[in-house]
Amino acid sequence: MPDRPVPESRALPKKRTRFSLVWIIPILAAVVGAWVAVTRVLSEGPKITIVMKSAEGLEAGKTKVHYNGVDIGTVTTVEADERS
């Protein structure tokens, strides 16, 4: 029997997809998180500092700030200044 040439085998690399579907959820979560953060920052109003002789009756987080009969905010912090 004559020796026949054995065909050479070649390994063909698999076609790799450039984008895996597994990354959709983390990317979507990052986009939603960024949108929530930007919306929160843009919806927040300006910070106002009011200096008074006495802060009696003010409670942070509870006391409402009214201007011309309209509720415009809430007291967030109360600090004592010992300079005067």
Side-chain angles (χ1 to χ4, degrees), residues 36-67:
V36 168
V38 167
T39 303
R40 169 82 168 110
V41 169
L42 292 177
S43 69
E44 190 172 298
K47 301 274 185 200
I48 299 172
T49 302
I50 301 173
V51 179
M52 302 176 183
K53 289 186 178 184
S54 171
E56 188 176 326
L58 296 179
E59 292 184 49
K62 293 183 180 180
T63 305
K64 300 289 182 185
V65 178
H66 298 282
Y67 181 74

Side-chain angles (χ1 to χ4, degrees), residues 11-47:
L12 297 175
K14 290 183 178 181
K15 288 186 178 180
R16 291 190 59 139
T17 58
R18 293 183 183 250
F19 185 75
S20 176
L21 294 177
V22 174
W23 287 102
I24 289 177
I25 293 174
I27 291 172
L28 186 61
V31 168
V32 169
W35 177 75
V36 168
V38 167
T39 303
R40 169 82 168 110
V41 169
L42 292 177
S43 69
E44 190 172 298
K47 301 274 185 200

